[in-house]
Amino acid sequence: QVHLVESGGGLVQAGGSLRLSCAASGTLFSKNDMGWYRRAPGKEHELVATISHSGVINYDDSVKGRFSISRDDASHTVYLQMNSLRPEDTAVYYCNVRSYGINWSQYDYWGQGTQVTVSS
């Protein structure tokens, strides 16, 4: 059983910064993609940033240049540094880990979500 625990959300003024963390516990395979998604009120679940098991990084266009994703494989932790926050970044942010097993079978795990609110 794998559990993801997120932390770091909160309320911040526009232009401010927050750092989200997500620590995975339990048994994971050796290759894991990690990422952050968000769901804003009235909107669809959307990708924010991902970092693959080989270090390839992908950002949504709306956060490029402002957000930075990183990972620490020793502790199975993924981080999201969010700078220059905007009111439109307000959402519940979810951590995701995709673990690859034998023959690249995929196992998806999700955190419980952490609220990020950016005031104008």
Side-chain angles (χ1 to χ4, degrees):
Q1 189 76 359
V2 174
H3 294 282
L4 304 184
V5 179
E6 299 149 344
S7 60
L11 173 64
V12 65
Q13 288 188 332
S17 298
L18 285 173
R19 189 189 195 211
L20 305 183
S21 299
C22 172
S25 62
T27 302
L28 291 170
F29 292 103
S30 60
K31 288 182 170 53
N32 302 282
D33 293 346
M34 308 179 89
W36 292 93
Y37 294 74
R38 66 187 180 188
R39 177 171 287 166
K43 294 188 177 181
E44 297 290 320
H45 192 77
E46 65 177 7
L47 178 148
V48 177
T50 60
I51 180 167
S52 76
H53 61 277
S54 59
V56 176
I57 291 175
N58 180 46
Y59 295 104
D60 183 76
D61 286 345
S62 66
V63 306
K64 282 181 180 176
R66 299 188 299 122
F67 290 12
S68 177
I69 189 171
S70 60
R71 61 189 288 166
D72 177 8
D73 287 333
S75 62
H76 296 303
T77 301
V78 60
Y79 304 95
L80 185 68
Q81 177 66 43
M82 304 185 294
N83 300 327
S84 301
L85 282 161
R86 304 167 179 168
E88 54 264 40
D89 294 318
T90 295
V92 178
Y93 284 70
Y94 297 90
C95 170
N96 169 261
V97 172
R98 174 166 289 177
S99 194
Y100 295 95
I102 298 170
N103 295 325
W104 293 97
S105 55
Q106 298 174 7
Y107 301 84
D108 272 309
Y109 304 99
W110 292 90
Q112 79 284 359
T114 186
Q115 177 70 46
V116 171
T117 302
V118 184
S119 63
S120 57

